[in-house]
Amino acid sequence: MRNQRDWLAAELERRGVTRREFMGFCAAMASALALPDAAAAQIARAIQKTEKPVLVWLEFQDCAGNTESFLRASRPTAAEVILDTLSIDYHETIMAAAGHQAEANLARTVKERPGGYIAVVEGSIPTGANGAYCTIGGRSALDIAREVCGQAMATIAIGTCASFGGIPAAGPNPTGALGVSAAVPGVKNLINLSACPANVENLTALLVHFLTFKRWPDLDHYRRPLFAYGKSIHDGCERRAHYDAGQYVEEWGDAGHRAGYCLYKMGCKGPVAFQNCPHIKWNGGTNWPIGCGHPCIGCSEPNFWDTMTPFYQHLPGVPGFGAASNIDTIGLIAVTGVGAAFAGHGLIQIMKRVGEDAEPVTPKTEEGGQQ
């Protein structure tokens, strides 16, 4: 019987994926997981030796955007390696089976492999009208989620709808939509992979971490993997230097917009949104919204949409300076104050130090005197 390594090697060869490309994929995964370069070899060995984990993918109140994201993985080996490393026993969008045959596949997996499969949930779970807003095969989404997630080895809530309710849960939420953790409390080993849609690079890295280390990565307080949600968009933003210097886009198409200035005044939610978009970007690392000149809309956060709209109005307070702070004042201080010093140390650091002083705040001039 051919072993896993032989199977994978043959599959890579059949798909025209060279050993060099495979190792490049493993290195990219190590980078996405914030692991040292040496971890790439460990990842490669683990993927080659691992057994295919069984996966069932449930779709409830969704647009299939996360499925689209997964299927459109553009790195040469990501989808090929991972899709073929997984055994996807149930997925409404991509499986060949339909109707009673498809539902029988799901029931058989749950019955024969309790605690031995990974459940992926896409979309929110409507709880209103006893679950009547979303039924599959005559059963409510809530009933299916309770059974399938309740017996899974682990559950991945992919996308903001499955993680926190997302757009279906926006007010007035007529269907009573909830995320998995709220609809099915107590689900074992739940990982939220929020965003609208979730980035396929993060899903791939999450699965690679599991295949390599036989456990899920460390999570934040929203049960999101820290490698992907440990820092704010603002922290890694390529326009951060302009924020620190008080250089903002004032209106679409102005000189600041063309020069790549900070989009905070145009509604960017980067300071309160946590995800690694600045690092991994989208479409195979081609670009990302802020790189295209559009503000972050905070799609990865709980209560998206309600707390992130209107999209094109900036947050009422300046992050790090208190809710009563005014972005125009901060920008004015940055521009008319000590430009060279701000550029060297960053506006936030300076203002934090100022805030710690017991004396009243008075901006300094370039010569060191008080204004």
Side-chain angles (χ1 to χ4, degrees):
M1 179 178 176
R2 188 167 59 181
N3 61 34
Q4 177 73 16
R5 179 168 184 151
D6 291 338
W7 170 84
L8 182 61
E11 186 65 18
L12 292 175
E13 182 179 358
R14 186 179 72 82
R15 293 175 180 271
V17 179
T18 67
R19 176 71 180 173
R20 184 184 184 88
E21 290 171 330
F22 175 63
M23 291 307 298
F25 162 73
C26 294
M29 290 298 98
S31 176
L33 291 166
L35 297 174
D37 294 342
Q42 184 179 0
I43 290 172
R45 288 194 298 271
I47 291 177
Q48 290 175 110
K49 293 178 180 178
T50 191
E51 297 292 330
K52 286 186 176 182
V54 174
L55 183 147
V56 295
W57 187 301
L58 307 174
E59 291 185 68
F60 296 137
Q61 211 167 26
D62 74 313
C63 65
N66 296 285
T67 294
E68 283 285 340
S69 180
F70 185 40
L71 295 179
R72 295 182 185 280
S74 55
R75 292 188 189 276
T77 61
E80 295 161 353
V81 171
I82 297 304
L83 275 173
D84 287 329
T85 302
L86 299 171
S87 175
I88 301 178
D89 284 15
Y90 182 88
H91 191 307
E92 291 178 3
T93 301
I94 64 175
M95 63 188 177
H100 295 297
Q101 184 184 28
E103 298 312 308
N105 286 344
L106 177 61
R108 184 166 51 252
T109 299
V110 173
K111 180 180 179 181
E112 296 179 356
R113 296 177 178 271
Y117 62 87
I118 298 171
V120 177
V121 178
E122 179 175 7
S124 61
I125 300 173
T127 59
N130 294 320
Y133 292 106
C134 179
T135 61
I136 302 168
R139 299 176 62 194
S140 72
L142 183 60
D143 185 36
I144 296 171
R146 284 171 174 164
E147 180 187 47
V148 176
C149 299
Q151 300 190 55
M153 172 198 322
T155 296
I156 301 172
I158 186 166
T160 298
C161 293
S163 297
F164 309 123
I167 293 175
N173 191 6
T175 66
L178 296 174
V180 175
S181 62
V184 193
V187 169
K188 184 171 60 178
N189 296 326
L190 173 66
I191 295 92
N192 288 321
L193 208 62
S194 60
C196 188
N199 194 310
V200 65
E201 301 293 336
N202 288 334
L203 175 61
T204 307
L206 179 66
L207 293 170
V208 165
H209 189 286
F210 178 77
L211 297 176
T212 303
F213 302 106
K214 309 305 179 191
R215 62 176 175 80
W216 297 113
D218 293 336
L219 307 176
D220 69 6
H221 60 291
Y222 291 128
R223 301 199 62 79
R224 303 179 298 189
L226 281 174
F227 75 81
Y229 301 90
K231 293 183 178 179
S232 72
I233 296 287
H234 187 61
D235 285 341
C237 182
E238 62 203 36
R239 300 181 185 228
R240 174 60 183 269
H242 294 294
Y243 175 90
D244 292 345
Q247 297 172 325
Y248 301 98
V249 176
E250 301 290 345
E251 61 180 66
W252 302 115
D254 68 7
H257 196 206
R258 295 194 297 274
Y261 283 6
C262 176
L263 292 157
Y264 188 87
K265 285 188 176 181
M266 306 307 290
C268 185
K269 306 303 187 296
V272 296
F274 289 76
Q275 198 178 178
N276 55 358
C277 294
H279 175 54
I280 61 172
K281 301 183 178 179
W282 292 81
N283 298 324
T286 302
N287 209 334
W288 66 306
I290 290 179
C292 297
H294 192 279
C296 166
I297 61 173
C299 69
S300 62
E301 298 309 301
N303 299 318
F304 173 80
W305 163 293
D306 288 342
T307 59
M308 298 297 174
T309 51
F311 289 140
Y312 299 115
Q313 290 183 15
H314 68 70
L315 299 166
V318 182
F321 305 102
S325 301
N326 182 286
I327 186 65
D328 298 303
T329 303
I330 297 298
L332 182 62
I333 291 173
V335 173
T336 60
V338 286
F342 282 9
H345 302 287
L347 177 59
I348 283 183
Q349 294 303 318
I350 290 175
M351 294 303 289
K352 283 183 176 178
R353 287 204 303 274
V354 167
E356 293 169 356
D357 292 342
E359 296 296 325
V361 177
T362 305
K364 303 287 187 180
T365 65
E366 289 190 62
E367 290 74 26
Q370 293 184 340
Q371 291 179 330

